[in-house]
Amino acid sequence: MRDTLRALGLLISTSVRVAPGRSLLVLLEVLGSVAEIFTALWIGTIVDGVIRRQPDRIWFGLVAMVITIAVGWALGLTGAEARVTLSEKLGFAFDRRIAKLNASIPSIEHLERSDYLDQLEILRSTRGLIGSGVASLLWSVNVIAMAAASISIAAVIDPRLLLITLSAIPAIIGTRLRNRWKARAEEEAALPGRRARQLGGVVLRPSTGSELRAFGVRATLGRWLVADLERWRRPTLWSTRRGAITTAVEEIIFVAVLVAVLLWLILQLRSGTGAPAIAVAVVAARQIQGAVFGLVGQFGSMADILRNVRRMIWLDDHAATVGHDFAGRRPTPDRLRHGITLDGVGFTYHGADRPSLADLEVHLPAGSVVAVVGENGAGKSTLVKLLAGLYRPGSGRILVDGVDLADLDIDDWRRHATAAFQDHLRLELTAQQAVGFGDPERIDDPDAARRALRLAAADGVRKALPDGLDTQLGAQWHGGVDLSGGQWQRLALARAMVRESPLLRVFDEPTAALDAQTEHELFERYIEQAREGTDRGAITLLVTHRFATVRDADLVLVLDHGRLIEQGTHEALISRDGHYAELYRLQSRGYH
């Protein structure tokens, strides 16, 4: 009940905020529908006037019916127009809310959590449903009013017509079942829906076209896509079929009750009594049917809408929880005096069976160049994400000059850091913007872009572009130029060099697509650049699986299955003849 009230509150407050006037105008549709219900009374008045030969009653009934229909039509039309516009505005407001929510969460955990992505997929597939929420809520008031008026009028005409309302009992039961089946279908369809969307993107992306054709897997991928689409639709079809059966049963029960009541009235007609009631019985019965089934159906629609609003609230609550973890407000220091200390740091990804990092104890001295090595799955990238503030440790603390990173303003910390990742962005903008993204304040500064390209040994990429920094990147755009994988990677490296005075600079295997000799030369350049930042105590973190490139690092960290098993200089680790020395020798033999 509490979640339902929160959902209703969110719908109403959002509606009042985005379109207060139309939120009130929608009520006119309710009044219009209620007005039309009185048609049955005026028909009864007209029939009664005919039977009694009273022209005044006949004219009164006709005029009243015309006025009622005209007023109901005018109110209904005005309210319906407001309802449609309100639904569009509200739907847009919730779409914007979801987009803003996803973009503003300081962590990236939600982008890797299947339960979050499933809820997001359901909201995406039912787009527009929440938008009709307030209109549907007000329409529920409309239906309730119609039902109350219909039942009241039926009681006045003939109390026996109230027996028709008994047909609502199976309808209520059927609606609860249909809502339960629909909710189950939505949950079951979320995962195959996400997978189908992902496979569809693979089919349509130009970057994957060559590989699909080279390996001749287009037909296989097509079969997988069709299979996932079928798995996506199957729960919905199952729910729809069962719902159709229950609806048919409800209709049969209603018809049986309606026929029984009308036969009872007709038998009374044969006895010569109750002629006016019989004359309007069919009209009243039809209104009761519409009221009863409309009321039950509307409750079912509202249940669908509120279920999705509760999903929206679930996303809100998740964002609030993450926001609480990133609620630090202390400013980042302008320079590091002691460095960064990882105090018992551990981290486990959501849904994982084992930790990616466990009980990490290490100090990264201010002004140092630190290399992190280890085999795949050792936890190197996880360490980078924690230091960049993309995650919070599950246990332990990350101390920046003795201050917990969780207490620092995360946006301010990120403004004092920069990074180049193996899975880098391919920003199909101008070359200037693709590089300038490394510092939003200098995104249009060509001098900053040229400097960054030189530091990243990517000046050759700029010279190869037909319009220099003004070149549109990406072959799918008019006049756009596509780049090789290595060129894209060098632009990503340059992007990490735009920010001139970071306290933390991270290179997370950004040169994995380059040969070992090129990577070594680039890392030597980065180390040289890092030495220039020692007056600020800046720390440069080099993450690589190629051990030969980190010989000049001040500190080498060796990770294995999430644990720090060795640390020291390259020479010290080699002389220790441990895990690092063994892996170094294995790689060295591979290059000879």
Side-chain angles (χ1 to χ4, degrees):
M1 177 58 71
R2 179 175 176 272
D3 290 340
T4 299
L5 292 176
R6 285 185 66 191
L8 287 172
L10 179 60
L11 274 177
I12 295 172
S13 62
T14 305
S15 176
V16 171
R17 178 173 55 83
V18 302
R22 284 184 168 82
S23 298
L24 293 175
L25 285 176
V26 172
L27 291 172
L28 295 180
E29 192 172 16
V30 177
L31 298 177
S33 299
V34 172
E36 292 179 1
I37 293 175
F38 287 90
T39 302
L41 277 181
W42 309 140
I43 291 175
T45 301
I46 294 169
V47 173
D48 189 52
V50 170
I51 293 174
R52 298 183 183 185
R53 298 182 181 182
Q54 297 177 347
D56 291 345
R57 289 183 64 82
I58 295 173
W59 282 109
F60 175 79
L62 286 172
V63 172
M65 185 168 65
V66 170
I67 293 175
T68 298
I69 293 174
V71 171
W73 178 82
L75 293 175
L77 184 63
T78 304
E81 188 278 333
R83 172 166 54 85
V84 172
T85 304
L86 176 62
S87 296
E88 292 176 350
K89 287 181 172 291
L90 197 60
F92 177 74
F94 274 104
D95 283 345
R96 184 171 56 186
R97 183 188 184 99
I98 293 172
K100 185 177 180 180
L101 186 71
N102 284 303
S104 61
I105 294 177
S107 168
I108 63 169
E109 180 189 12
H110 62 293
L111 302 176
E112 300 175 343
R113 284 185 54 162
S114 60
D115 57 343
Y116 184 95
L117 295 175
D118 284 347
Q119 298 303 314
L120 199 61
E121 177 66 25
I122 295 172
L123 286 172
R124 185 183 290 117
S125 64
T126 57
R127 178 176 288 132
L129 186 60
I130 296 180
S132 63
V134 170
S136 185
L137 176 62
L138 293 174
W139 188 251
S140 297
V141 177
N142 180 4
V143 173
I144 292 172
M146 290 172 61
S150 297
I151 292 172
S152 299
I153 292 172
V156 172
I157 295 171
D158 194 311
R160 286 172 292 182
L161 291 173
L162 298 180
L163 293 174
I164 298 175
T165 60
L166 294 176
S167 61
I169 296 174
I172 292 172
I173 297 173
T175 299
R176 290 177 61 87
L177 290 174
R178 285 190 293 272
N179 287 336
R180 188 181 305 164
W181 295 333
K182 189 176 293 186
R184 174 182 168 186
E186 289 170 350
E187 297 293 339
E188 291 179 353
L191 182 58
R194 280 202 294 123
R195 180 177 161 88
R197 187 185 298 274
Q198 189 265 342
L199 291 177
V202 171
V203 171
L204 296 175
R205 279 197 298 270
S207 59
T208 59
S210 300
E211 193 164 351
L212 293 179
R213 286 160 177 78
F215 292 115
V217 295
R218 285 184 299 166
T220 301
L221 195 64
R223 287 195 299 272
W224 289 351
L225 178 57
V226 170
D228 278 315
L229 287 173
E230 290 177 352
R231 282 193 287 269
W232 172 54
R233 296 302 304 165
R234 189 178 299 132
T236 303
L237 292 174
W238 172 84
S239 171
T240 302
R241 289 190 185 113
R242 300 189 74 173
I245 293 172
T246 59
T247 300
V249 172
E250 294 161 18
E251 292 284 352
I252 292 171
I253 293 174
F254 170 78
V255 170
V257 174
L258 177 62
V259 169
V261 172
L262 292 179
L263 283 176
W264 189 3
L265 294 173
I266 291 171
L267 288 175
Q268 186 180 35
L269 177 62
R270 287 181 178 177
S271 66
T273 61
I278 297 300
V280 298
V282 175
V283 176
R286 180 66 185 88
Q287 288 182 343
I288 292 176
Q289 179 199 22
V292 169
F293 278 85
L295 185 61
V296 174
Q298 189 60 28
F299 284 161
S301 298
M302 279 305 302
D304 289 342
I305 293 168
L306 293 177
R307 186 167 61 250
N308 280 277
V309 177
R310 284 194 292 270
R311 291 189 175 107
M312 180 73 240
I313 291 174
W314 186 88
L315 299 185
D316 278 340
D317 289 344
H318 177 79
T321 300
V322 176
H324 181 268
D325 294 337
F326 287 81
R329 289 293 177 266
R330 295 185 61 169
T332 300
D334 292 330
R335 64 185 301 271
L336 293 178
R337 291 175 171 78
H338 304 292
I340 300 175
T341 301
L342 285 81
D343 180 19
V345 169
F347 182 81
T348 303
Y349 286 97
H350 180 78
D353 296 329
R354 65 179 185 85
S356 294
L357 290 176
D359 198 26
L360 215 59
E361 295 277 355
V362 64
H363 177 67
L364 313 180
S368 64
V369 176
V370 180
V372 183
V373 299
E375 298 177 274
N376 291 334
K380 303 187 296 297
S381 294
T382 302
L383 173 60
V384 166
K385 292 175 183 177
L386 292 173
L387 289 173
L390 300 177
Y391 283 104
R392 286 289 186 238
S395 59
R397 300 178 300 166
I398 298 176
L399 303 175
V400 180
D401 272 356
V403 178
D404 195 334
L405 179 57
D407 294 332
L408 297 182
D409 183 305
I410 189 61
D411 292 327
D412 192 34
W413 170 248
R414 288 173 183 165
R415 282 191 290 270
H416 286 77
T418 187
F421 299 97
Q422 180 178 357
D423 298 324
H424 53 268
L425 287 171
R426 294 193 175 194
L427 292 168
E428 295 188 351
L429 305 168
T430 65
Q432 168 67 53
Q433 293 167 332
V435 175
F437 251 63
D439 188 348
E441 295 180 358
R442 309 177 72 187
I443 193 169
D444 295 318
D445 185 346
D447 292 334
R450 281 191 285 267
R451 171 186 171 277
L453 287 164
R454 285 194 300 272
L455 291 174
D459 206 34
V461 178
R462 177 182 63 83
K463 294 177 180 179
L465 297 175
D467 297 318
L469 292 175
D470 294 326
T471 302
Q472 170 67 50
L473 304 180
Q476 63 176 315
W477 307 107
H478 179 69
V481 175
D482 201 7
L483 303 180
S484 68
Q487 287 174 318
W488 281 114
Q489 197 164 56
R490 286 178 185 265
L491 289 185
L493 290 167
R495 196 156 51 237
M497 306 299 290
V498 174
R499 191 162 284 164
E500 292 186 349
S501 304
L503 295 182
L504 176 66
R505 179 177 281 132
V506 175
F507 297 96
D508 183 12
E509 301 201 45
T511 57
L514 304 178
D515 60 84
Q517 182 60 34
T518 302
E519 181 188 60
H520 180 67
E521 293 174 358
L522 285 171
F523 273 15
E524 283 186 334
R525 180 172 298 195
Y526 300 151
I527 290 174
E528 180 181 345
Q529 178 69 17
R531 302 302 183 200
E532 297 179 4
T534 54
D535 59 324
R536 301 184 312 278
I539 296 173
T540 298
L541 198 69
L542 307 175
V543 179
T544 181
H545 64 280
R546 292 170 176 165
F547 290 36
T549 62
V550 299
R551 301 183 61 164
D552 295 328
D554 301 311
L555 176 64
V556 179
L557 307 179
V558 185
L559 296 180
D560 184 57
H561 292 92
R563 295 187 177 277
L564 179 64
I565 58 173
E566 290 181 310
Q567 60 176 306
T569 64
H570 169 77
E571 291 77 11
L573 293 175
I574 290 296
S575 63
R576 191 176 300 169
D577 199 25
H579 188 68
Y580 176 87
E582 179 183 357
L583 293 178
Y584 181 81
R585 286 192 295 268
L586 287 174
Q587 284 197 357
S588 297
R589 286 198 294 269
Y591 289 115
H592 292 88

